[in-house]
Amino acid sequence: MSDLPVLAVTLGDPVGIGPEITLKTLAEPEALQLARGVAVGDAPVLDRVARHLGLSVEINPIATVADARFTPGVIDVLDLGVVTEDLPWGEVNATAGAAAVGAIEVATRLALAGEVDAVVTAPINKEAIWAAGSQHLGHTEMLGELTGSTRFNTMFWVSGLKIFFATRHLSLREAIDRITRENIEHAIREAYTALEVFGTEKPRLAVAALNPHGGENGKFGDEEIVAIAPAVAAAQAAGLDVVGPIPADSVFHQGIQGRFDGVLSLYHDQGHIASKTYDFDGTVSVTVGLPILRTSVDHGTAFDIAGTGRASHGTMRAAFKAAATLAPYARKLPAIYPPSVR
């Protein structure tokens, strides 16, 4: 047990499904075989969920990671003291937003200090964190600021394939405008670096096309000609094993089949739809470019089923397992992506 990595698992929004899927995951015997998990949030929230689900587990509030017991049937939780009473399920709430932000801040500090090996996050609600005063678009941007990182990006991991994103939280129109040679060259370098960081020797990276059929030699758009293909050629000239642009309706399938180690998606939904359709519960989000290891579920707070006990914890289980698997690489991250604040 003492050789297993320590994972800080944030509860996400207290009135969403985050506490439920966290509790279900940490209560499984398999969890203790993979890693030593510590919940980060509010003990009363987990108490409420445990009673609601009828789980015979002990919620153990702790002040430090050193106080954790890591024993079967016990859920250790770093109690933040933000939520002290029951809040309505499935409603945007500033207190819930503050609790979600507080858990992320505490877990990040623990990871930066080396007290935990990785952070695993449950979903947050953007309206709630904004109501609590946060200006961030989401988890990733918040983690970037907390660690001082300017290189942060998202990597999806599904069935052995790693999917990267040249653009993320932008309108489709704006995302297309960002498809420039310079930006794609940068995205290729960052994706290739991440593949190497997380243990892939001699990575094989494919770059998705933007337009149908890869643009059909300019008939369906010229982004492939003026931006994507030249960026791929530059990467090849630098000695990287990169191919593309490959039409998006086939490149992800080829990656799943093992032809590539990673695929660079050009916009948010291009990669999300492919991975989540293939295996929704098995798709894990990993934030790359940070000095700490962070994995996450790839879905939202599901306010419509919060408090019903019907939430599947498959994605949280997968995120927990991914963090345990990738933890040995975490010690390399500060040297490659050095933090500028602590």
Side-chain angles (χ1 to χ4, degrees), residues 1 21 24 45 81 84 116 121 144 148 219 225 249 259 324 333 339:
M1 172 69 73
I21 62 176
K24 287 178 175 178
V45 171
T84 57
V116 299
T121 58
K219 292 183 175 62
I225 296 172
D249 61 0
R259 185 170 175 180
L333 298 179

Side-chain angles (χ1 to χ4, degrees), residues 103-187:
I104 297 165
E105 292 173 342
V106 169
T108 301
R109 286 197 295 268
L110 291 171
L112 286 170
E115 294 185 51
V116 299
D117 297 291
V119 176
V120 183
T121 58
I124 61 176
N125 181 278
K126 292 179 175 58
E127 288 186 66
I129 68 169
W130 294 337
S134 173
Q135 302 298 312
H136 296 292
L137 293 176
H139 263 124
T140 304
E141 293 79 9
M142 195 183 309
L143 288 163
E145 180 175 294
L146 290 170
T147 60
S149 172
T150 58
R151 298 175 64 180
F152 58 86
N153 211 323
T154 296
M155 177 182 83
F156 272 11
W157 190 14
V158 57
S159 191
L161 177 67
K162 296 177 174 66
I163 300 174
F164 302 89
F165 298 86
T167 64
R168 295 179 55 254
H169 291 148
L170 301 171
S171 70
L172 186 55
R173 174 70 271 160
E174 188 175 356
I176 293 171
D177 290 340
R178 298 283 184 92
I179 305 302
T180 65
R181 173 175 174 170
E182 180 182 10
N183 288 344
I184 299 304
E185 283 188 32
H186 174 76

Side-chain angles (χ1 to χ4, degrees), residues 3-336:
D3 294 331
L4 295 177
V6 179
L7 310 181
V9 187
T10 65
L11 300 186
D13 192 297
V15 298
I17 64 171
E20 179 182 337
I21 62 176
T22 299
L23 187 60
K24 287 178 175 178
T25 297
L26 294 179
E28 289 184 336
E30 181 189 12
L32 278 176
Q33 297 171 9
L34 294 171
R36 292 171 288 170
V38 177
V40 182
D42 295 284
V45 171
L46 284 182
D47 268 322
R48 178 191 187 188
V49 173
R51 292 195 307 271
H52 189 66
L53 296 177
L55 287 178
S56 56
V57 294
E58 177 188 348
I59 306 301
N60 178 39
I62 56 177
T64 69
V65 175
D67 297 328
R69 287 154 56 182
F70 301 122
T71 55
V74 175
I75 307 298
D76 300 301
V77 53
L78 280 163
D79 189 16
L80 305 185
V82 177
V83 179
T84 57
E85 59 184 5
D86 291 350
L87 301 174
W89 290 112
E91 296 181 10
V92 174
N93 185 291
T95 299
V101 171
I104 297 165
E105 292 173 342
V106 169
T108 301
R109 286 197 295 268
L110 291 171
L112 286 170
E115 294 185 51
V116 299
D117 297 291
V119 176
V120 183
T121 58
I124 61 176
N125 181 278
K126 292 179 175 58
E127 288 186 66
I129 68 169
W130 294 337
S134 173
Q135 302 298 312
H136 296 292
L137 293 176
H139 263 124
T140 304
E141 293 79 9
M142 195 183 309
L143 288 163
E145 180 175 294
L146 290 170
T147 60
S149 172
T150 58
R151 298 175 64 180
F152 58 86
N153 211 323
T154 296
M155 177 182 83
F156 272 11
W157 190 14
V158 57
S159 191
L161 177 67
K162 296 177 174 66
I163 300 174
F164 302 89
F165 298 86
T167 64
R168 295 179 55 254
H169 291 148
L170 301 171
S171 70
L172 186 55
R173 174 70 271 160
E174 188 175 356
I176 293 171
D177 290 340
R178 298 283 184 92
I179 305 302
T180 65
R181 173 175 174 170
E182 180 182 10
N183 288 344
I184 299 304
E185 283 188 32
H186 174 76
I188 288 172
R189 289 193 300 271
E190 290 294 277
Y192 206 88
T193 297
L195 287 170
E196 292 177 320
V197 166
F198 289 114
T200 303
E201 295 185 9
K202 299 180 180 179
R204 301 161 300 163
L205 177 69
V207 180
L210 176 68
N211 296 300
H213 304 176
E216 289 283 12
N217 293 318
K219 292 183 175 62
F220 299 156
D222 66 358
E223 286 85 0
E224 285 76 16
I225 296 172
V226 302
I228 304 169
V232 170
Q236 292 171 342
L240 306 186
D241 188 352
V242 182
V243 297
I246 298 176
D249 61 0
S250 61
V251 68
F252 298 101
H253 170 73
Q254 292 176 26
I256 290 292
Q257 295 301 307
R259 185 170 175 180
F260 312 115
D261 302 298
V263 174
L264 177 61
S265 168
L266 298 186
Y267 57 92
H268 182 281
D269 284 6
Q270 188 182 58
H272 279 242
I273 292 171
S275 60
K276 293 180 182 180
T277 299
Y278 179 78
D279 186 356
F280 190 92
D281 282 350
T283 297
V284 175
S285 177
V286 183
T287 305
V288 296
L290 298 177
I292 64 171
L293 173 61
R294 178 257 181 160
T295 68
S296 181
V297 299
D298 65 346
H299 58 72
T301 51
F303 274 179
D304 58 323
I305 62 170
T308 66
R310 294 189 289 112
S312 169
H313 65 295
T315 50
M316 177 56 87
R317 181 198 291 127
F320 188 90
K321 183 177 181 179
T325 301
L326 295 175
Y329 303 108
R331 65 178 65 93
K332 300 194 303 184
L333 298 179
I336 299 169

